[in-house]
Amino acid sequence: RPFHQYHKTFAPLNFSDYEAIGRCEQEVPEYFNFASDVLDKWSQIEKERKGPSNPALWWINGKGDEVKWSFEELGFLSQKVANVLSGPCGLQRGDGVLVILPRIPEWWLLNVACMRTGVTIIPGTTQLTAQDICYRLLASKAQCIITTDVLAPAVDSVASKCRFLKTKLIVSESSRAEWLNFSALL
């Protein structure tokens, strides 16, 4: 049974398509952006259907708290985050952003927003030490770092050594000196 009633709309694969792919003859767009070419198309289908839809993102934490976003909501929120990245954070296409977050909904929004803006996302685990963070910032020449208040002190301890780092964005309910607050900007 198909996962979604519109599954054939986006992937009409048949045997001849597989042969074309194998011969490198499949038509590939010159510019592909997952956020606008896939997510926004699903959002449009969702709007046209005018009924209940499957969630695009359904996140549940260990306490049972949950977040459900439709394709339209995920698209809209990712556009707002893209505006935060290109506005207050000053990031442009090709710039690097080191994202060190647990798998919270904001992590997914930032991934899609980076795709929208052409910003290169550099994911990092929350187990990184200050030395690890410094190494990644220097090696990647990232202009921005995004993390939680748990790792912010580690970032602050090495930020002066990272000459390319211009913006620090914190995903937290509280504010911190010299950091932009994600929630407030959103």
Side-chain angles (χ1 to χ4, degrees):
R1 169 184 114 142
F3 176 72
H4 193 279
Q5 68 183 18
Y6 294 101
H7 72 284
K8 292 182 181 180
T9 306
F10 295 109
L13 291 177
N14 57 41
F15 189 70
S16 63
D17 290 336
Y18 289 115
E19 289 176 350
I21 291 169
R23 292 189 308 267
C24 299
E25 295 172 354
Q26 186 71 17
E27 224 177 283
V28 178
E30 185 176 352
Y31 300 102
F32 174 78
N33 186 303
F34 175 81
S36 58
D37 295 334
V38 177
L39 180 62
D40 292 348
K41 296 245 189 289
W42 279 101
S43 176
Q44 188 60 39
I45 288 171
E46 192 176 73
K47 284 180 193 175
E48 291 169 0
R49 198 167 0 129
K50 295 182 174 82
S53 63
N54 293 327
L57 178 85
W58 190 352
W59 175 86
I60 303 172
N61 70 5
K63 300 174 193 170
D65 301 326
E66 69 179 46
V67 171
K68 266 189 195 181
W69 288 327
S70 65
F71 286 96
E72 185 177 1
E73 290 168 325
L74 181 58
F76 175 74
L77 289 170
S78 68
Q79 288 172 359
K80 287 180 72 171
V81 175
N83 289 338
V84 169
L85 294 177
S86 60
C89 292
L91 298 172
Q92 300 175 1
R93 178 176 296 280
D95 287 347
V97 58
L98 180 57
V99 178
I100 308 172
L101 293 174
R103 296 309 179 249
I104 56 177
E106 291 83 357
W107 186 86
W108 297 99
L109 286 177
L110 285 159
N111 273 272
V112 176
C114 285
M115 290 177 208
R116 277 192 191 285
T117 57
V119 170
T120 304
I121 189 165
I122 305 156
T125 176
T126 55
Q127 297 173 330
L128 295 175
T129 65
Q131 185 179 354
D132 297 329
I133 292 168
C134 184
Y135 173 78
R136 282 165 174 76
L137 286 169
L138 290 171
S140 67
K141 300 178 183 172
Q143 289 86 0
C144 178
I145 187 165
I146 303 171
T147 192
T148 62
D149 46 6
V150 173
L151 284 176
V155 173
D156 285 337
S157 71
V158 298
S160 62
K161 299 175 191 172
C162 306
R163 66 179 185 268
F164 297 102
L165 183 63
K166 294 179 176 62
T167 308
K168 298 181 288 186
L169 187 64
I170 192 166
V171 178
S172 173
E173 293 303 316
S174 60
S175 59
R176 186 174 180 87
E178 299 179 14
W179 286 76
L180 297 174
N181 187 289
F182 181 82
S183 300
L185 292 172
L186 194 60

